[in-house]
Amino acid sequence: MKRKYILAHDLGTTGDKAVLFDVESGQIVGSAFAGYPTYYVSATRAEQDPSEWWRAFCCATREVLRHNQISGEEIAVIVFSGQMMGCLPVSADGTPLRNAIIWADQRATKEAQLLLDRIGLEDAYRITGHRVGPAYSAPKIMWLLAHEPHVRSRTHKFLQAKDFIVHRLTGKWVTDYSDACGTGLLDLWRRDWSEKMLRAAEIPRELLPDVVPSTQVVGEVSEGAAAEVGLARSTPVVVGGGDGVCATAGAGVVRPGVGHIYLGSSAWVAGASEEPILDPKMRTVTWPHLDPGLYSPNGTMHNAGASLEWVVEAFGDLETRVGEWLDLNPYELVEKEAEKIPPGSEGLIFLPYLMGERSPHWDPHARGVFLGITRKHKKAHFLRAVYEGVALNLRTIYLSLRELGVALEEVRAIGGGIKSRLWAQILADALGIPLYLTKSPLEATALGAAMAGAVGVGLVPDFTSAAERFVQVGQVLEPGPGAEHYSEVHGLFLYAYEVLRGIFPRLSALGEGGE
């Protein structure tokens, strides 16, 4: 039977999406989603059960094949995108030894400081292209090794989400350059584990998987996994990459000059470069691109869609109930409320730092703030301020990359947040540039993974050809009248953080309840 489809899995923060792509046209044939919960153990601790990853992977695979009446024998390659910067210890047979500590977790602040004391911030940045911080895997691994000796004694490898599924399918212990980079332990220039970083973190090399290119065929689906999942035995498995770099390729950013903004649970601005781009102020980071000949300068913020999710949970009871009664999306109702308020929310500013922040501040203690509240401010003002606060932080990142000489002549927009026309327009206004909306904004990460799979098994010769086949740009959204206002209020947004950052550590300590 002819193998006509690429099966790409996007193991995200809220669940796994399985997406089928036609090999010849690059078009999406169908998709299926299976969710899993995040357990917020405290204000700074976030975990997931890896058995739920596998359950979701199996369910989504079987459903997308069943719904589209496709057999496992028709799959040419299976490939992955996954949430990054996690920490999952597994035993020698691949059994998880505890819940995975995910990217949003900030518990390892002391370990991050210890690593900083040993290696130095500037040396670490020069080696890895990243700052040392508790969001990365290395401090999380250090925390686990120090606090859970019963787990340490049984740990064979530390894995990322997609690498856990790859092992379940193939038995191989591998990760790709991008996820290795997200540990904070990769030598960005050599694209291999840094002995200097490993010594400073006191993490044995043997506890980490082998590092391979994102396009690497790492193995084939085993007989046991094939029966459980519904795939054909010996289907090639390409490792793929972390969700950030997959989204970059999936937006068509496969050459310098094209950039993109991803607006999802987290958010980022990224481009492409032929060499790593290091920021003297260390506001931005550089990832290995899916294309082994490129890099991706990037600035990532923690709480974008997560900020909107929080405000709906906290203040959107009415919209949620009405949505349930009328079978409407409560987020659409929230958007209609926010649309009633003019740009700037009549002097109300939101700092979207609900669980610390990465770029541009790199402050694990930063906290969310509504600033400028008066009697005239109603719920709708707070709702709009959340949209605007996220956009203003992305403006900060965008301007930082431009300052470093990162070419961003055309900026594309992807991610679930872009489906909100209000948010997309606020973003175009806040950045003051046209936004090119891709036709598949929700599937960009899976699309980038599919491109890696296509290159990996030789269906296309390179990523330029893959982008031509897989990526389509639709509408262009021009900045509106709000652009001038956001340019002015951005200075206040930045100043607000500078004034308040001194009290954030004390608030953070209070929020932890003495942990």
Side-chain angles (χ1 to χ4, degrees), residues 183-315:
T183 66
L185 297 169
L186 184 80
D187 186 319
L188 186 64
W189 309 86
R190 293 176 48 248
R191 300 200 184 209
D192 199 358
W193 299 118
S194 164
E195 291 298 331
K196 189 172 183 178
M197 294 301 300
L198 289 173
R199 285 195 301 271
E202 296 184 347
I203 297 173
R205 166 66 180 83
E206 60 268 21
L207 293 183
L208 300 175
D210 294 332
V211 186
V212 300
S214 296
T215 54
Q216 182 82 32
V217 178
V218 297
E220 298 177 340
V221 176
S222 68
E223 184 175 2
E228 188 172 358
V229 180
L231 293 168
R233 179 185 178 186
S234 301
T235 302
V237 177
V238 168
V239 66
D243 54 8
V245 295
C246 283
T248 297
V253 181
V254 295
R255 62 173 177 82
V258 180
H260 85 285
I261 291 175
Y262 173 86
L263 187 55
S265 295
S266 61
W268 55 78
V269 185
S273 62
E274 295 177 350
E275 296 291 339
I277 304 291
L278 299 185
D279 179 7
K281 299 178 184 178
M282 293 182 286
R283 296 163 297 180
T284 63
V285 300
T286 298
W287 298 95
H289 196 281
L290 288 185
D291 185 333
L294 293 174
Y295 294 86
S296 181
N298 174 294
T300 301
M301 62 178 289
H302 262 319
N303 298 285
S307 293
L308 187 63
E309 180 182 6
W310 165 77
V311 80
V312 171
E313 291 174 352
F315 301 112

Side-chain angles (χ1 to χ4, degrees), residues 91-350:
S91 63
D93 65 356
T95 300
L97 299 175
R98 71 180 314 282
N99 278 351
I101 302 172
I102 69 167
W103 62 272
D105 192 284
Q106 296 282 315
R107 77 183 69 187
T109 53
K110 293 180 180 178
E111 286 72 22
Q113 186 59 52
L114 179 61
L115 182 55
L116 269 176
D117 293 342
R118 292 172 178 170
I119 191 73
L121 180 59
E122 293 184 359
D123 278 355
Y125 187 73
R126 281 195 295 266
I127 293 168
T128 67
H130 291 249
R131 297 176 60 129
V132 173
Y136 292 89
S137 301
K140 293 168 183 168
I141 294 172
M142 293 170 65
W143 182 93
L144 192 147
L145 293 177
H147 290 83
E148 298 186 356
H150 60 291
V151 173
R152 174 178 185 162
S153 63
R154 299 170 58 200
T155 298
H156 180 67
K157 297 291 180 186
F158 287 102
L159 300 178
Q160 303 301 317
K162 76 177 195 329
D163 306 328
F164 171 69
I165 303 298
V166 167
H167 180 265
R168 288 288 298 262
L169 290 174
T170 68
K172 301 296 178 63
W173 303 108
V174 295
T175 192
D176 78 296
Y177 297 145
S178 63
D179 259 334
C181 188
T183 66
L185 297 169
L186 184 80
D187 186 319
L188 186 64
W189 309 86
R190 293 176 48 248
R191 300 200 184 209
D192 199 358
W193 299 118
S194 164
E195 291 298 331
K196 189 172 183 178
M197 294 301 300
L198 289 173
R199 285 195 301 271
E202 296 184 347
I203 297 173
R205 166 66 180 83
E206 60 268 21
L207 293 183
L208 300 175
D210 294 332
V211 186
V212 300
S214 296
T215 54
Q216 182 82 32
V217 178
V218 297
E220 298 177 340
V221 176
S222 68
E223 184 175 2
E228 188 172 358
V229 180
L231 293 168
R233 179 185 178 186
S234 301
T235 302
V237 177
V238 168
V239 66
D243 54 8
V245 295
C246 283
T248 297
V253 181
V254 295
R255 62 173 177 82
V258 180
H260 85 285
I261 291 175
Y262 173 86
L263 187 55
S265 295
S266 61
W268 55 78
V269 185
S273 62
E274 295 177 350
E275 296 291 339
I277 304 291
L278 299 185
D279 179 7
K281 299 178 184 178
M282 293 182 286
R283 296 163 297 180
T284 63
V285 300
T286 298
W287 298 95
H289 196 281
L290 288 185
D291 185 333
L294 293 174
Y295 294 86
S296 181
N298 174 294
T300 301
M301 62 178 289
H302 262 319
N303 298 285
S307 293
L308 187 63
E309 180 182 6
W310 165 77
V311 80
V312 171
E313 291 174 352
F315 301 112
D317 286 350
L318 176 61
E319 288 79 9
T320 300
R321 289 198 300 269
V322 171
E324 291 173 351
W325 295 336
L326 302 179
D327 194 24
L328 295 173
N329 186 335
Y331 289 91
E332 293 179 2
L333 300 176
V334 164
E335 184 172 329
K336 289 184 182 298
E337 282 294 300
E339 283 178 333
K340 299 175 183 177
I341 307 302
S345 300
E346 297 188 295
L348 186 65
I349 293 175
F350 174 65

